[in-house]
Protein backbone atom coordinates (compact mmCIF):
# COMPACT_ATOMS: atom_id res chain seq x y z
CA UNK A 1 0.00 0.00 0.00
CA UNK A 2 1.51 3.31 -1.07
CA UNK A 3 2.40 5.67 1.77
CA UNK A 4 1.28 9.30 1.64
CA UNK A 5 2.20 12.20 3.94
CA UNK A 6 0.08 12.24 7.08
CA UNK A 7 -1.16 15.74 6.19
CA UNK A 8 -2.85 14.26 3.08
CA UNK A 9 -4.41 11.22 4.78
CA UNK A 10 -8.11 10.92 5.59
CA UNK A 11 -9.23 12.75 8.69
CA UNK A 12 -9.62 10.32 11.61
CA UNK A 13 -5.95 9.32 12.12
CA UNK A 14 -4.62 12.83 11.56
CA UNK A 15 -7.30 14.48 13.72
CA UNK A 16 -6.69 12.13 16.62
CA UNK A 17 -2.92 12.67 16.52
CA UNK A 18 -3.34 16.44 16.52
CA UNK A 19 -6.04 16.40 19.21
CA UNK A 20 -3.96 14.29 21.60
CA UNK A 21 -0.57 15.73 20.73
CA UNK A 22 -0.05 16.84 24.33
CA UNK A 23 0.55 13.23 25.39
CA UNK A 24 3.29 12.89 22.76
CA UNK A 25 5.07 15.98 24.13
CA UNK A 26 4.76 14.64 27.67
CA UNK A 27 6.28 11.35 26.46
CA UNK A 28 9.16 13.20 24.79
CA UNK A 29 9.96 14.95 28.07
CA UNK A 30 9.94 11.81 30.23
CA UNK A 31 13.20 11.10 32.10
CA UNK A 32 13.54 7.82 30.19
CA UNK A 33 13.45 9.44 26.74
CA UNK A 34 15.64 12.39 27.79
CA UNK A 35 18.29 10.08 29.24
CA UNK A 36 18.07 7.86 26.14
CA UNK A 37 18.43 10.86 23.80
CA UNK A 38 21.46 12.12 25.73
CA UNK A 39 23.13 8.70 25.51
CA UNK A 40 23.47 8.58 29.29
CA UNK A 41 20.69 6.06 29.95
CA UNK A 42 22.02 3.12 31.90
CA UNK A 43 22.14 -0.13 29.96
CA UNK A 44 20.18 -2.02 32.62
CA UNK A 45 17.32 0.47 32.21
CA UNK A 46 17.32 0.04 28.44
CA UNK A 47 17.40 -3.74 28.77
CA UNK A 48 14.36 -3.57 31.02
CA UNK A 49 12.60 -1.39 28.43
CA UNK A 50 13.38 -3.85 25.61
CA UNK A 51 12.00 -6.71 27.69
CA UNK A 52 8.80 -4.76 28.41
CA UNK A 53 8.51 -3.83 24.73
CA UNK A 54 8.75 -7.51 23.77
CA UNK A 55 5.67 -8.30 25.87
CA UNK A 56 3.92 -5.42 24.21
CA UNK A 57 4.86 -6.50 20.66
CA UNK A 58 3.47 -9.98 21.27
CA UNK A 59 0.11 -8.42 22.16
CA UNK A 60 0.42 -6.25 19.05
CA UNK A 61 0.83 -9.36 16.84
CA UNK A 62 -2.27 -10.91 18.42
CA UNK A 63 -4.27 -7.74 17.86
CA UNK A 64 -3.25 -7.62 14.18
CA UNK A 65 -4.33 -11.26 13.82
CA UNK A 66 -7.74 -10.41 15.29
CA UNK A 67 -8.10 -7.37 13.02
CA UNK A 68 -7.25 -9.45 9.96
CA UNK A 69 -9.89 -12.03 10.86
CA UNK A 70 -12.51 -9.32 11.37
CA UNK A 71 -12.31 -7.39 8.14
CA UNK A 72 -14.11 -8.57 5.01
CA UNK A 73 -12.07 -6.24 2.77
CA UNK A 74 -9.49 -8.29 0.86
CA UNK A 75 -7.06 -5.38 0.41
CA UNK A 76 -7.31 -4.54 4.11
CA UNK A 77 -6.65 -8.20 4.98
CA UNK A 78 -3.45 -8.16 2.91
CA UNK A 79 -2.33 -4.86 4.46
CA UNK A 80 -2.96 -6.00 8.02
CA UNK A 81 -1.18 -9.29 7.34
CA UNK A 82 1.90 -7.38 6.13
CA UNK A 83 1.86 -5.24 9.25
CA UNK A 84 1.62 -8.33 11.46
CA UNK A 85 4.64 -9.84 9.70
CA UNK A 86 6.61 -6.66 10.40
CA UNK A 87 5.81 -6.92 14.11
CA UNK A 88 7.05 -10.53 14.11
CA UNK A 89 10.28 -9.36 12.42
CA UNK A 90 10.66 -6.64 15.06
CA UNK A 91 10.26 -9.28 17.76
CA UNK A 92 13.05 -11.31 16.12
CA UNK A 93 15.25 -8.20 16.15
CA UNK A 94 14.53 -7.79 19.86
CA UNK A 95 15.48 -11.41 20.46
CA UNK A 96 18.77 -10.91 18.60
CA UNK A 97 19.64 -7.86 20.68
CA UNK A 98 18.68 -9.64 23.90
CA UNK A 99 20.81 -12.67 22.98
CA UNK A 100 23.80 -10.40 22.33
CA UNK A 101 23.42 -9.10 25.88
CA UNK A 102 22.97 -12.59 27.32
CA UNK A 103 19.75 -11.31 28.80
CA UNK A 104 16.68 -13.56 29.26
CA UNK A 105 13.59 -11.33 29.77
CA UNK A 106 11.47 -14.31 30.85
CA UNK A 107 13.82 -14.96 33.76
CA UNK A 108 14.99 -11.45 34.58
CA UNK A 109 11.94 -9.30 33.85
CA UNK A 110 8.19 -9.70 34.21
CA UNK A 111 5.61 -7.32 32.72
CA UNK A 112 5.27 -4.24 34.89
CA UNK A 113 1.79 -2.83 35.72
CA UNK A 114 1.96 -0.20 32.95
CA UNK A 115 2.80 -2.83 30.34
CA UNK A 116 -0.01 -5.08 31.59
CA UNK A 117 -2.51 -2.20 31.47
CA UNK A 118 -1.71 -1.49 27.82
CA UNK A 119 -1.60 -5.13 26.68
CA UNK A 120 -4.84 -5.94 28.55
CA UNK A 121 -6.52 -2.91 26.93
CA UNK A 122 -5.26 -3.92 23.49
CA UNK A 123 -6.32 -7.55 23.77
CA UNK A 124 -9.69 -6.61 25.26
CA UNK A 125 -10.30 -4.30 22.30
CA UNK A 126 -9.26 -7.07 19.90
CA UNK A 127 -11.81 -9.41 21.51
CA UNK A 128 -14.61 -6.84 21.14
CA UNK A 129 -14.74 -5.75 24.78
CA UNK A 130 -15.09 -2.03 24.08
CA UNK A 131 -16.92 0.54 26.17
CA UNK A 132 -20.07 1.62 24.35
CA UNK A 133 -20.09 -1.37 21.98
CA UNK A 134 -22.33 -4.38 22.56
CA UNK A 135 -20.75 -7.71 21.60
CA UNK A 136 -23.99 -8.81 19.91
CA UNK A 137 -23.59 -5.96 17.41
CA UNK A 138 -20.34 -7.45 16.13
CA UNK A 139 -21.89 -10.65 14.74
CA UNK A 140 -22.22 -9.84 11.03
CA UNK A 141 -19.21 -9.45 8.67
CA UNK A 142 -20.05 -5.77 8.18
CA UNK A 143 -20.14 -5.12 11.93
CA UNK A 144 -16.93 -7.10 12.49
CA UNK A 145 -15.15 -4.84 10.00
CA UNK A 146 -15.93 -2.03 12.42
CA UNK A 147 -14.09 -4.01 15.09
CA UNK A 148 -11.02 -4.05 12.83
CA UNK A 149 -11.17 -0.24 12.78
CA UNK A 150 -11.50 -0.13 16.57
CA UNK A 151 -8.48 -2.41 16.96
CA UNK A 152 -6.34 -0.22 14.71
CA UNK A 153 -7.54 2.85 16.61
CA UNK A 154 -6.09 1.29 19.76
CA UNK A 155 -2.81 0.31 18.07
CA UNK A 156 -1.88 3.31 15.95
CA UNK A 157 -1.00 5.69 18.83
CA UNK A 158 1.94 3.44 19.74
CA UNK A 159 3.18 3.40 16.13
CA UNK A 160 2.76 7.15 15.58
CA UNK A 161 4.32 8.02 18.94
CA UNK A 162 7.39 5.84 18.30
CA UNK A 163 7.73 7.32 14.80
CA UNK A 164 7.54 10.81 16.34
CA UNK A 165 10.10 10.02 19.04
CA UNK A 166 12.43 8.44 16.47
CA UNK A 167 12.39 11.61 14.35
CA UNK A 168 12.84 13.91 17.35
CA UNK A 169 15.77 11.90 18.71
CA UNK A 170 17.52 11.25 15.40
CA UNK A 171 18.99 14.77 15.38
CA UNK A 172 21.15 13.84 18.40
CA UNK A 173 22.95 11.17 16.40
CA UNK A 174 24.53 13.87 14.21
CA UNK A 175 26.76 15.08 17.04
CA UNK A 176 27.41 11.61 18.49
CA UNK A 177 29.69 9.23 16.60
CA UNK A 178 29.14 6.41 19.07
CA UNK A 179 25.68 6.97 20.53
CA UNK A 180 24.90 3.81 22.55
CA UNK A 181 21.27 3.72 21.40
CA UNK A 182 21.82 4.61 17.76
CA UNK A 183 20.28 1.37 16.51
CA UNK A 184 17.04 1.92 18.43
CA UNK A 185 16.72 5.57 17.29
CA UNK A 186 17.61 4.71 13.69
CA UNK A 187 14.98 1.96 13.55
CA UNK A 188 12.11 4.26 14.57
CA UNK A 189 13.37 7.24 12.53
CA UNK A 190 13.82 5.09 9.40
CA UNK A 191 11.72 5.56 6.29
CA UNK A 192 10.59 1.96 6.70
CA UNK A 193 9.05 2.51 10.14
CA UNK A 194 7.61 5.88 9.17
CA UNK A 195 6.02 4.14 6.18
CA UNK A 196 4.58 1.36 8.36
CA UNK A 197 3.00 3.98 10.58
CA UNK A 198 1.39 5.64 7.60
CA UNK A 199 0.13 2.27 6.37
CA UNK A 200 -1.64 1.75 9.69
CA UNK A 201 -3.19 5.21 9.50
CA UNK A 202 -4.32 4.70 5.91
CA UNK A 203 -5.94 1.40 6.85
CA UNK A 204 -7.78 3.04 9.74
CA UNK A 205 -8.98 5.81 7.46
CA UNK A 206 -10.15 3.28 4.88
CA UNK A 207 -12.02 1.14 7.42
CA UNK A 208 -13.60 4.25 8.97
CA UNK A 209 -15.18 5.63 5.79
CA UNK A 210 -18.61 4.09 6.47
CA UNK A 211 -18.65 4.66 10.24
CA UNK A 212 -21.20 6.89 11.92
CA UNK A 213 -20.25 9.88 14.07
CA UNK A 214 -20.89 7.83 17.21
CA UNK A 215 -18.60 5.06 15.94
CA UNK A 216 -15.87 7.57 15.07
CA UNK A 217 -16.17 8.89 18.63
CA UNK A 218 -15.45 5.36 19.88
CA UNK A 219 -12.25 5.29 17.80
CA UNK A 220 -11.28 8.66 19.22
CA UNK A 221 -11.79 7.43 22.78
CA UNK A 222 -9.72 4.31 22.07
CA UNK A 223 -6.99 6.46 20.52
CA UNK A 224 -6.93 8.78 23.53
CA UNK A 225 -6.81 5.88 25.99
CA UNK A 226 -3.99 4.26 24.04
CA UNK A 227 -2.01 7.52 24.05
CA UNK A 228 -2.37 7.78 27.82
CA UNK A 229 -1.35 4.15 28.31
CA UNK A 230 1.66 4.61 26.02
CA UNK A 231 2.70 7.66 28.03
CA UNK A 232 2.32 5.58 31.19
CA UNK A 233 4.50 2.91 29.60
CA UNK A 234 7.42 5.35 29.19
CA UNK A 235 6.88 6.87 32.62
CA UNK A 236 6.98 3.41 34.20
CA UNK A 237 10.50 2.64 32.98
CA UNK A 238 12.63 2.60 36.16
CA UNK A 239 15.20 5.40 36.21
CA UNK A 240 17.85 4.88 38.89
CA UNK A 241 19.91 7.89 37.82
CA UNK A 242 19.57 11.64 38.23
CA UNK A 243 17.40 13.37 35.64
CA UNK A 244 17.19 17.11 35.01
CA UNK A 245 13.45 16.96 34.38
CA UNK A 246 10.84 17.56 35.41
CA UNK A 247 12.13 20.72 37.04
CA UNK A 248 9.76 20.17 39.96
CA UNK A 249 11.64 16.96 40.82
CA UNK A 250 14.86 18.92 41.34
CA UNK A 251 13.01 21.56 43.34
CA UNK A 252 13.21 21.07 47.10
CA UNK A 253 10.60 23.29 48.84
CA UNK A 254 12.62 23.07 52.04
CA UNK A 255 15.70 24.58 50.35
CA UNK A 256 14.45 26.40 47.27
CA UNK A 257 11.68 28.79 46.33
CA UNK A 258 10.36 28.24 42.80
CA UNK A 259 9.31 31.62 41.41
CA UNK A 260 7.61 31.58 38.01
CA UNK A 261 7.04 34.78 35.99
CA UNK A 262 4.90 35.17 32.87
CA UNK A 263 4.08 37.81 30.34
CA UNK A 264 0.34 38.13 29.58
CA UNK A 265 -0.44 39.39 26.07
CA UNK A 266 0.21 36.66 23.48
CA UNK A 267 1.97 34.51 26.11
CA UNK A 268 -1.09 33.71 28.22
CA UNK A 269 -3.80 35.43 26.16
CA UNK A 270 -4.27 34.69 22.46
CA UNK A 271 -4.84 38.39 21.66
CA UNK A 272 -3.41 41.73 22.72
CA UNK A 273 -5.38 43.16 25.65
CA UNK A 274 -5.07 46.77 24.40
CA UNK A 275 -7.17 45.87 21.34
CA UNK A 276 -9.84 44.37 23.62
CA UNK A 277 -10.05 47.50 25.77
CA UNK A 278 -10.27 49.69 22.67
CA UNK A 279 -13.07 47.54 21.22
CA UNK A 280 -15.02 47.75 24.50
CA UNK A 281 -14.66 51.53 24.38
CA UNK A 282 -15.79 51.72 20.74
CA UNK A 283 -18.78 49.41 21.21
CA UNK A 284 -20.03 51.18 24.36
CA UNK A 285 -19.42 54.75 23.12
CA UNK A 286 -22.43 56.90 22.12
CA UNK A 287 -23.46 56.83 18.47
CA UNK A 288 -24.08 59.91 16.36
CA UNK A 289 -27.33 61.58 17.40
CA UNK A 290 -27.55 59.87 20.79
CA UNK A 291 -27.86 62.01 23.92
CA UNK A 292 -25.17 61.35 26.50
CA UNK A 293 -26.40 60.80 30.08
CA UNK A 294 -26.09 63.79 32.36
CA UNK A 295 -23.67 63.73 35.29
CA UNK A 296 -21.41 61.29 33.42
CA UNK A 297 -18.09 61.73 31.64
CA UNK A 298 -18.50 63.24 28.19
CA UNK A 299 -17.29 60.61 25.73
CA UNK A 300 -16.07 60.64 22.17
CA UNK A 301 -18.56 59.36 19.59
CA UNK A 302 -18.09 55.75 18.52
CA UNK A 303 -17.09 56.56 14.92
CA UNK A 304 -14.58 59.20 16.06
CA UNK A 305 -13.21 56.86 18.69
CA UNK A 306 -12.64 54.09 16.13
CA UNK A 307 -10.86 56.51 13.82
CA UNK A 308 -8.69 57.79 16.67
CA UNK A 309 -7.81 54.25 17.78
CA UNK A 310 -6.88 53.18 14.25
CA UNK A 311 -4.58 56.20 13.98
CA UNK A 312 -2.96 55.45 17.36
CA UNK A 313 -2.47 51.78 16.43
CA UNK A 314 -0.89 52.62 13.08
CA UNK A 315 1.38 55.21 14.70
CA UNK A 316 2.42 52.75 17.41
CA UNK A 317 3.27 49.99 14.92
CA UNK A 318 5.30 52.28 12.66
CA UNK A 319 7.26 53.90 15.50
CA UNK A 320 7.83 50.55 17.22
CA UNK A 321 9.37 49.10 14.05
CA UNK A 322 11.50 52.23 13.66
CA UNK A 323 12.68 51.89 17.24
CA UNK A 324 13.67 48.25 16.66
CA UNK A 325 15.50 49.16 13.45
CA UNK A 326 17.40 51.92 15.29
CA UNK A 327 18.51 49.41 17.93
CA UNK A 328 19.79 47.11 15.17
CA UNK A 329 21.81 49.87 13.48
CA UNK A 330 24.39 49.64 16.27
CA UNK A 331 27.35 47.32 15.77
CA UNK A 332 26.45 43.68 16.34
CA UNK A 333 28.25 42.24 19.37
CA UNK A 334 30.52 39.21 19.10
CA UNK A 335 29.82 38.05 22.66
CA UNK A 336 26.72 38.50 24.78
CA UNK A 337 26.54 42.00 26.24
CA UNK A 338 23.71 42.50 28.75
CA UNK A 339 24.64 46.12 29.49
CA UNK A 340 24.46 47.14 25.83
CA UNK A 341 21.16 45.34 25.46
CA UNK A 342 19.83 47.11 28.56
CA UNK A 343 20.94 50.46 27.16
CA UNK A 344 19.28 49.75 23.81
CA UNK A 345 16.02 48.75 25.47
CA UNK A 346 15.95 52.06 27.31
CA UNK A 347 15.08 53.56 23.92
CA UNK A 348 12.17 51.14 23.60
CA UNK A 349 11.09 52.00 27.14
CA UNK A 350 10.98 55.71 26.34
CA UNK A 351 8.92 54.96 23.23
CA UNK A 352 6.42 52.80 25.17
CA UNK A 353 5.88 55.55 27.72
CA UNK A 354 5.32 58.16 25.00
CA UNK A 355 2.83 55.85 23.31
CA UNK A 356 0.92 55.34 26.57
CA UNK A 357 0.79 59.10 27.13
CA UNK A 358 -0.74 59.56 23.66
CA UNK A 359 -3.44 57.00 24.53
CA UNK A 360 -4.28 58.80 27.78
CA UNK A 361 -4.40 62.22 26.12
CA UNK A 362 -6.59 60.90 23.28
CA UNK A 363 -9.39 59.95 25.69
CA UNK A 364 -10.04 56.55 24.05
CA UNK A 365 -10.06 54.83 27.45
CA UNK A 366 -12.45 57.33 29.03
CA UNK A 367 -15.87 56.04 30.14
CA UNK A 368 -15.11 52.31 30.10
CA UNK A 369 -17.50 50.47 32.41
CA UNK A 370 -15.79 48.24 34.97
CA UNK A 371 -18.43 45.52 34.54
CA UNK A 372 -17.84 45.48 30.75
CA UNK A 373 -14.12 45.02 31.37
CA UNK A 374 -14.79 42.24 33.85
CA UNK A 375 -17.09 40.39 31.41
CA UNK A 376 -14.54 40.78 28.60
CA UNK A 377 -11.89 39.27 30.86
CA UNK A 378 -14.15 36.32 31.67
CA UNK A 379 -14.56 35.63 27.93
CA UNK A 380 -10.90 36.15 27.11
CA UNK A 381 -9.40 33.06 25.50
CA UNK A 382 -6.10 31.86 26.96
CA UNK A 383 -3.50 29.89 25.05
CA UNK A 384 -4.21 26.16 24.88
CA UNK A 385 -2.84 24.50 28.00
CA UNK A 386 -2.15 27.76 29.86
CA UNK A 387 -4.99 27.49 32.39
CA UNK A 388 -4.31 23.79 32.96
CA UNK A 389 -0.65 24.53 33.72
CA UNK A 390 -1.50 27.19 36.30
CA UNK A 391 -4.12 24.92 37.88
CA UNK A 392 -1.56 22.12 38.18
CA UNK A 393 0.95 24.48 39.81
CA UNK A 394 -1.61 25.73 42.33
CA UNK A 395 -2.92 22.26 43.18
CA UNK A 396 0.59 20.93 43.79
CA UNK A 397 0.89 21.97 47.43
CA UNK A 398 4.27 20.30 47.82
CA UNK A 399 5.70 22.48 45.04
CA UNK A 400 4.90 25.66 46.95
CA UNK A 401 5.60 27.92 43.94
CA UNK A 402 5.09 31.68 43.64
CA UNK A 403 3.47 32.84 40.38
CA UNK A 404 3.77 36.40 39.08
CA UNK A 405 2.40 37.89 35.87
CA UNK A 406 4.27 40.95 34.54
CA UNK A 407 2.47 42.89 31.82
CA UNK A 408 2.27 46.21 29.98
CA UNK A 409 -1.52 45.75 30.06
CA UNK A 410 -3.35 49.01 30.77
CA UNK A 411 -5.86 47.29 33.02
CA UNK A 412 -4.89 44.75 35.65
CA UNK A 413 -8.59 44.16 36.32
CA UNK A 414 -8.99 42.66 32.83
CA UNK A 415 -6.21 40.16 33.58
CA UNK A 416 -7.50 39.31 37.05
CA UNK A 417 -10.94 38.66 35.60
CA UNK A 418 -9.47 36.40 32.89
CA UNK A 419 -7.60 34.33 35.45
CA UNK A 420 -10.42 34.35 38.01
CA UNK A 421 -12.86 32.87 35.47
CA UNK A 422 -10.52 29.87 35.29
CA UNK A 423 -10.27 29.54 39.07
CA UNK A 424 -6.88 31.25 39.26
CA UNK A 425 -7.53 33.95 41.87
CA UNK A 426 -4.19 33.41 43.59
CA UNK A 427 -2.00 34.66 40.72
CA UNK A 428 -0.04 37.83 41.47
CA UNK A 429 -0.74 40.38 38.71
CA UNK A 430 1.68 43.26 38.15
CA UNK A 431 0.36 45.67 35.52
CA UNK A 432 -0.93 49.18 34.96
CA UNK A 433 -4.38 50.02 36.34
CA UNK A 434 -7.22 52.13 34.95
CA UNK A 435 -8.64 54.73 37.33
CA UNK A 436 -12.40 54.47 37.91
CA UNK A 437 -14.98 56.90 39.24
CA UNK A 438 -18.42 55.42 39.95
CA UNK A 439 -17.54 52.34 37.91
CA UNK A 440 -16.45 54.35 34.84
CA UNK A 441 -12.83 54.88 33.80
CA UNK A 442 -11.50 58.42 33.77
CA UNK A 443 -9.12 57.60 30.91
CA UNK A 444 -6.12 57.95 33.23
CA UNK A 445 -3.73 55.10 34.04
CA UNK A 446 -1.86 54.28 37.23
CA UNK A 447 1.52 53.64 35.61
CA UNK A 448 3.23 50.62 37.15
CA UNK A 449 4.69 48.50 34.33
CA UNK A 450 5.03 50.41 31.06
CA UNK A 451 8.28 49.22 29.55
CA UNK A 452 11.07 46.60 29.41
CA UNK A 453 12.96 48.53 32.07
CA UNK A 454 9.90 48.67 34.33
CA UNK A 455 9.44 44.93 33.88
CA UNK A 456 12.97 43.98 34.90
CA UNK A 457 12.82 46.39 37.83
CA UNK A 458 9.56 44.78 38.99
CA UNK A 459 11.16 41.36 38.49
CA UNK A 460 14.11 42.31 40.73
CA UNK A 461 11.87 43.98 43.33
CA UNK A 462 9.72 40.85 43.67
CA UNK A 463 12.79 38.66 44.20
CA UNK A 464 14.34 41.12 46.66
CA UNK A 465 11.12 41.08 48.68
CA UNK A 466 11.38 37.31 49.16
CA UNK A 467 12.72 36.16 52.51
CA UNK A 468 16.31 34.99 52.65
CA UNK A 469 15.50 31.62 54.20
CA UNK A 470 15.51 29.90 50.80
CA UNK A 471 17.35 30.16 47.51
CA UNK A 472 15.25 31.30 44.56
CA UNK A 473 14.94 29.22 41.39
CA UNK A 474 13.38 31.53 38.79
CA UNK A 475 11.63 30.82 35.51
CA UNK A 476 10.39 33.53 33.14
CA UNK A 477 8.10 32.84 30.17
CA UNK A 478 7.62 35.53 27.53
CA UNK A 479 7.34 36.12 23.81
CA UNK A 480 8.40 39.66 22.90
CA UNK A 481 11.31 42.12 22.93
CA UNK A 482 9.92 43.68 26.09
CA UNK A 483 10.53 40.39 27.93
CA UNK A 484 14.21 40.03 26.98
CA UNK A 485 15.78 41.52 30.11
CA UNK A 486 13.58 39.44 32.43
CA UNK A 487 14.18 36.31 30.36
CA UNK A 488 17.91 36.78 30.75
CA UNK A 489 17.77 37.63 34.46
CA UNK A 490 15.84 34.46 35.25
CA UNK A 491 17.65 31.19 35.91
CA UNK A 492 15.62 29.73 33.03
CA UNK A 493 14.22 31.94 30.28
CA UNK A 494 11.57 30.31 28.08
CA UNK A 495 10.32 32.00 24.91
CA UNK A 496 6.89 30.89 23.69
CA UNK A 497 6.55 31.19 19.89
CA UNK A 498 9.14 34.01 19.75
CA UNK A 499 8.41 37.07 17.64
CA UNK A 500 10.79 37.86 14.77
CA UNK A 501 11.78 41.12 16.47
CA UNK A 502 12.72 39.32 19.68
CA UNK A 503 14.95 36.95 17.70
CA UNK A 504 16.58 39.77 15.74
CA UNK A 505 17.28 41.95 18.78
CA UNK A 506 18.44 39.01 20.88
CA UNK A 507 20.83 37.75 18.20
CA UNK A 508 22.18 41.27 17.67
CA UNK A 509 23.28 41.48 21.30
CA UNK A 510 24.66 37.96 21.57
CA UNK A 511 21.67 36.05 22.94
CA UNK A 512 21.43 32.40 21.85
CA UNK A 513 18.10 30.70 21.20
CA UNK A 514 17.86 26.92 21.57
CA UNK A 515 14.73 24.75 21.31
CA UNK A 516 13.93 23.57 24.82
CA UNK A 517 14.11 19.82 24.24
CA UNK A 518 17.67 19.83 22.80
CA UNK A 519 18.57 22.15 25.66
CA UNK A 520 17.20 19.65 28.18
CA UNK A 521 19.14 16.81 26.53
CA UNK A 522 22.37 18.84 26.70
CA UNK A 523 21.72 19.59 30.38
CA UNK A 524 21.22 15.87 30.97
CA UNK A 525 24.70 15.21 29.59
CA UNK A 526 26.11 17.85 31.94
CA UNK A 527 24.20 16.33 34.84
CA UNK A 528 25.52 12.84 34.00
CA UNK A 529 29.05 14.26 34.03
CA UNK A 530 28.61 15.14 37.70
CA UNK A 531 27.60 18.82 37.56
CA UNK A 532 24.98 19.29 40.28
CA UNK A 533 24.01 22.85 39.28
CA UNK A 534 22.42 22.44 35.86
CA UNK A 535 19.85 25.25 35.67
CA UNK A 536 21.06 27.98 37.99
CA UNK A 537 24.22 29.09 36.21
CA UNK A 538 24.20 32.54 34.54
CA UNK A 539 23.69 32.16 30.81
CA UNK A 540 22.92 34.06 27.61
CA UNK A 541 20.87 31.10 26.37
CA UNK A 542 17.08 31.29 26.06
CA UNK A 543 14.93 28.24 25.35
CA UNK A 544 12.18 28.31 22.73
CA UNK A 545 8.93 26.33 22.86
CA UNK A 546 5.89 26.19 20.61
CA UNK A 547 3.23 25.33 23.19
CA UNK A 548 2.27 25.38 26.84
CA UNK A 549 2.36 21.58 26.73
CA UNK A 550 6.16 21.79 26.51
CA UNK A 551 6.31 24.18 29.46
CA UNK A 552 4.05 21.87 31.45
CA UNK A 553 6.14 18.81 30.58
CA UNK A 554 9.41 20.56 31.43
CA UNK A 555 8.37 22.03 34.78
CA UNK A 556 5.79 19.55 36.08
CA UNK A 557 6.17 16.41 34.02
CA UNK A 558 3.15 14.20 33.41
Amino acid sequence: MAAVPIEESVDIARKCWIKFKKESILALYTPFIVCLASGTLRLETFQHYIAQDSYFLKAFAQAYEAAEECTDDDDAKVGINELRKNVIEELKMHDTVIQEWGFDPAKQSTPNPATVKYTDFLLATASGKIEGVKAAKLATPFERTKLAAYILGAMIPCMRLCAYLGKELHVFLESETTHPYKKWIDSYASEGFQGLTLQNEELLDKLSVSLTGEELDIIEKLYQQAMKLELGFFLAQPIDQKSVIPLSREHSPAEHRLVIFFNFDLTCAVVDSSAILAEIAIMSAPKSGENQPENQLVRMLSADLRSTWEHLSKQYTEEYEQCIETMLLTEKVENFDYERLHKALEQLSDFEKRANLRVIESGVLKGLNFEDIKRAGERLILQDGCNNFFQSIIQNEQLNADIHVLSYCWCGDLMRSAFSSGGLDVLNVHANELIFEENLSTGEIVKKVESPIDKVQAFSKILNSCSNDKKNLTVYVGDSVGDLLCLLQADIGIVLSPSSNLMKVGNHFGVSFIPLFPGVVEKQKICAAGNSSCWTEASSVLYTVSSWAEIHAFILGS
Side-chain angles (χ1 to χ4, degrees), residues 54-71 76-77 79-85 87-88 91 118-128 130 144-159 200 203 207 222 226:
S54 294
Y55 293 117
F56 183 73
L57 287 172
K58 289 172 185 175
F60 234 61
Q62 289 178 252
Y64 272 135
E65 186 174 8
E68 185 181 349
E69 290 176 359
C70 287
T71 183
K77 277 185 178 292
I80 294 172
N81 184 264
E82 289 177 359
L83 293 168
R84 180 171 173 271
K85 288 178 180 177
V87 170
I88 293 171
L91 271 168
Y118 202 154
T119 55
D120 283 355
F121 158 73
L122 194 55
L123 295 176
T125 303
S127 67
I130 301 167
R144 286 182 63 76
T145 294
K146 294 179 183 179
L147 178 56
Y150 296 152
I151 295 169
L152 287 175
M155 298 172 72
I156 285 172
C158 174
M159 299 285 291
N200 275 269
L203 273 170
L207 295 171
L222 290 168

Side-chain angles (χ1 to χ4, degrees), residues 508-549:
H508 190 78
F509 291 94
V511 178
S512 299
F513 296 92
I514 298 175
L516 180 58
F517 184 69
V520 167
V521 172
E522 187 59 35
K523 290 290 186 181
Q524 184 62 44
K525 293 179 183 178
I526 295 171
C527 173
N531 191 326
S532 59
S533 178
C534 293
W535 294 110
T536 56
E537 297 174 350
S539 173
S540 61
V541 175
L542 299 180
Y543 300 98
T544 61
V545 297
S546 58
S547 69
W548 276 86

Side-chain angles (χ1 to χ4, degrees), residues 127-147 150 215:
S127 67
K129 296 176 183 177
I130 301 167
E131 185 178 350
V133 178
K134 293 182 179 179
K137 282 191 172 184
L138 301 174
T140 68
F142 176 73
E143 293 294 333
R144 286 182 63 76
T145 294
K146 294 179 183 179
L147 178 56
Y150 296 152
E215 289 162 348

Side-chain angles (χ1 to χ4, degrees), residues 245-370:
I245 61 163
L247 192 65
S248 56
R249 177 183 291 180
E250 294 300 300
H251 167 69
S252 170
E255 301 176 9
H256 303 97
R257 181 184 296 105
L258 180 60
V259 191
I260 308 176
F261 297 85
F262 297 92
N263 179 44
F264 183 72
D265 291 337
L266 304 180
T267 299
C268 294
V270 298
V271 294
D272 191 299
S273 60
S274 60
I276 294 174
L277 292 169
E279 192 61 28
I280 295 171
I282 292 167
M283 296 301 292
S284 62
K287 310 300 186 288
S288 179
E290 290 183 357
N291 293 322
Q292 299 198 36
E294 294 182 8
N295 303 322
Q296 282 193 9
L297 294 167
V298 177
R299 299 185 65 189
M300 195 184 307
L301 294 177
S302 179
D304 295 335
L305 201 157
R306 185 175 293 280
S307 176
T308 300
W309 174 248
E310 288 175 353
H311 172 73
L312 288 169
S313 297
K314 182 179 179 182
Q315 186 178 9
Y316 177 90
T317 300
E318 290 175 351
E319 292 186 11
Y320 179 85
E321 292 297 333
Q322 290 172 4
C323 188
I324 296 295
E325 290 302 318
T326 300
M327 292 167 60
L328 297 176
L329 288 175
T330 60
E331 184 179 356
K332 185 176 180 179
V333 303
E334 292 186 10
N335 299 305
F336 173 60
D337 193 327
Y338 180 84
E339 295 304 320
R340 279 189 60 186
L341 174 61
H342 190 287
K343 189 71 176 176
L345 287 175
E346 289 175 8
Q347 302 173 45
L348 185 62
S349 294
D350 292 340
F351 155 74
E352 294 284 5
K353 292 181 178 181
R354 291 195 303 271
N356 279 349
L357 185 60
R358 286 199 296 264
V359 171
I360 295 170
E361 292 175 344
S362 73
V364 296
L365 299 179
K366 183 185 293 185
L368 284 171
N369 189 296
F370 177 79

Side-chain angles (χ1 to χ4, degrees), residues 17-27 227 388 549 552:
W17 173 250
I18 292 171
K19 186 170 184 177
F20 306 118
K21 187 70 185 289
K22 179 185 175 182
E23 278 75 20
S24 67
I25 293 171
L26 292 173
M227 283 291 284
N388 182 56
H552 191 125

Side-chain angles (χ1 to χ4, degrees), residues 9 37 45 67 81 111 148 185 187 189 191 272 277 353 362 373 406 420 445 463 524 527:
S9 63
T45 303
N81 184 264
I185 295 171
S187 67
E191 290 184 9
D272 191 299
L277 292 169
K353 292 181 178 181
S362 73
I373 292 172
L406 295 177
S420 180
I445 298 174
L463 292 180
Q524 184 62 44
C527 173

